Amino acid sequence: MTSFGKSVLLTGLAAAGLTVAAAAFAAGPDTLLVDARRVFAPLPAAPSAATDQAVLGRRLFFETRVSADGNVSCSHCHLPEKQGADGLPKSFGVFGKINPRNAPTIFNAALQFKAHWRGDRETIEEQAEKSPTGAVSFGAPDFATVVAELKSIPGYPEAFAKAFPGEADPVTQKNWGKALGAFERTLPQPTRFDAFLAGDAKALTPAEQAGLRKFIEVGCAGCHDGVGVGGTSFAKFGVVEDYWKETGSKDPDKGRADVTKNDADLYVFKVPSLRNVAKTGPYFHDGSVADLPKAVRVMGKVQLGLDLSDKDVEAITAFLGALTQPVPANYSALTPFPDAAAKK
């Protein structure tokens, strides 16, 4: 089955209240962990942040000198104080240009099956490779310009050679992507929900456990599943009714249809991971909803056809708060390499 087919199936089941998780759900408190493990999985151990490739990727993630205006890096839209997002409805890039969609947190990008809201990048490595030449992101005219800048900065040629030993010319677009991918794969960190899935029944408060029950019971887990609590499929945003009627979006985004040129993909987006969601508003691809309780209500209405009660919204929101991870210890800029000799 294709990923789109999977998303349609899951969304249809969720809308009908017939997800496998919901069908198997039992009310007793001793069954919650069993039910949750049917749908979710705890975060696996992250790869080492000390490898040469990950350290190089960390440098590149915070490097601004390869952008057209000298001010933009990957970290520009992914701030530690915003839990790896930037807190804006739509991010701005080089020369203040506005991106067409909201910047999701980078902390769990590596857990998802594709990159970008429309899934137009297969991997985080491909996304990293193409960002420097994005007209709105870094604005470099071509990657040769990026390579020339990196080679001119003392320290980078040696760092690339160390990270990619045996290569005659390691400063390449492909290796830029590999290094950034290696760094980004170190960023997901365990949450209290992971501790709960691992068997610690007290890791979640009673309110959060009630929210988890409700999250499964009403069908949210039909799409927001797996290790990432989402990020495993595509789904139409607005299964029951047009999403913009509830979000107030002024200019509806056609979603994946603009990528595939297939009418079946109209208003289809990647189902986002909900890890860190309590800290990464505003919400949805266009940042149209400012607060999480409203976002929960919108999802209940347009995806499941449910008018969630205040109690249900409060419970689900409480559970989502347990998905917040600590900021990774390596999520900060290293001392920059000195400027290019030509600029001295």
Side-chain angles (χ1 to χ4, degrees):
M1 180 180 291
T2 65
S3 57
F4 176 68
K6 175 188 173 187
S7 70
V8 171
L9 175 61
L10 288 173
T11 306
L13 290 173
L18 294 174
T19 64
V20 173
F25 187 80
D30 57 335
T31 66
L32 180 58
L33 178 57
V34 173
D35 293 321
R37 283 174 169 171
R38 290 192 180 104
V39 185
F40 310 106
L43 188 71
S48 171
T51 66
D52 293 330
Q53 286 190 17
V55 172
L56 172 60
R58 179 181 177 183
R59 282 195 177 279
L60 296 176
F61 192 86
F62 293 92
E63 180 58 74
T64 62
R65 288 170 285 187
V66 296
S67 66
D69 64 1
N71 294 316
V72 174
S73 67
C74 302
S75 65
H76 182 75
C77 298
H78 302 288
L79 308 175
E81 64 270 24
K82 297 294 183 180
Q83 206 69 15
D86 65 4
L88 300 174
K90 295 179 180 179
S91 302
F92 64 92
V94 69
F95 300 117
K97 295 179 179 179
I98 302 299
N99 278 278
R101 290 168 199 88
N102 175 265
T105 175
I106 196 67
F107 286 175
N108 46 268
L111 303 178
Q112 301 181 58
F113 85 125
K114 291 185 188 293
H116 285 185
W117 279 101
R118 301 182 302 171
D120 55 344
R121 300 290 184 266
E122 290 296 317
T123 64
I124 55 174
E125 287 79 10
E126 182 190 1
Q127 188 280 329
E129 284 181 39
K130 294 182 176 179
S131 283
T133 53
V136 179
S137 50
F138 285 62
D142 50 52
F143 210 89
T145 303
V146 176
V147 169
E149 180 66 23
L150 290 170
K151 286 184 174 180
S152 74
I153 298 172
Y156 272 123
E158 295 80 3
F160 271 89
K162 188 177 181 183
F164 301 98
E167 296 189 18
D169 187 11
V171 186
T172 65
Q173 183 174 7
K174 186 65 67 176
N175 287 346
W176 163 282
K178 286 181 179 178
L180 281 164
F183 170 64
E184 291 174 19
R185 292 182 189 283
T186 71
L187 299 179
Q189 302 292 312
T191 67
R192 289 187 294 108
F193 183 51
D194 294 296
F196 176 80
L197 290 173
D200 181 0
K202 295 182 179 180
L204 299 184
T205 67
E208 291 164 348
Q209 290 190 35
L212 172 57
R213 284 191 176 283
K214 188 59 63 176
F215 188 88
I216 298 172
E217 189 176 45
V218 301
C220 304
C223 290
H224 292 286
D225 58 354
V227 173
V229 195
T232 64
S233 62
F234 293 117
K236 181 180 179 180
F237 187 19
V239 173
V240 180
E241 65 175 67
D242 296 333
Y243 73 80
W244 53 88
K245 293 179 180 178
E246 295 297 322
T247 63
S249 302
K250 302 270 191 268
D251 186 18
D253 191 321
K254 293 182 179 179
R256 190 158 170 75
D258 280 336
V259 177
T260 65
K261 310 305 180 186
N262 186 341
D263 288 344
D265 289 330
L266 191 61
Y267 311 130
V268 168
F269 297 88
K270 180 183 67 176
V271 176
S273 165
L274 295 185
R275 285 180 176 269
N276 297 297
V277 70
K279 301 287 187 180
T280 55
Y283 300 102
F284 306 127
H285 63 277
D286 55 2
S288 55
V289 172
D291 66 88
L292 186 55
K294 182 177 178 181
V296 171
R297 287 188 187 280
V298 169
M299 291 298 288
K301 189 72 177 283
V302 306
Q303 299 304 104
L304 303 172
L306 298 175
D307 284 313
L308 295 171
S309 68
D310 290 347
K311 182 178 179 181
D312 288 346
V313 170
E314 183 179 359
I316 292 172
T317 302
F319 161 63
L320 295 176
L323 302 178
T324 302
Q325 68 169 76
V327 175
N330 63 325
Y331 198 71
S332 60
L334 296 166
T335 302
F337 287 138
D339 285 339
K343 296 182 180 179
K344 290 182 179 178

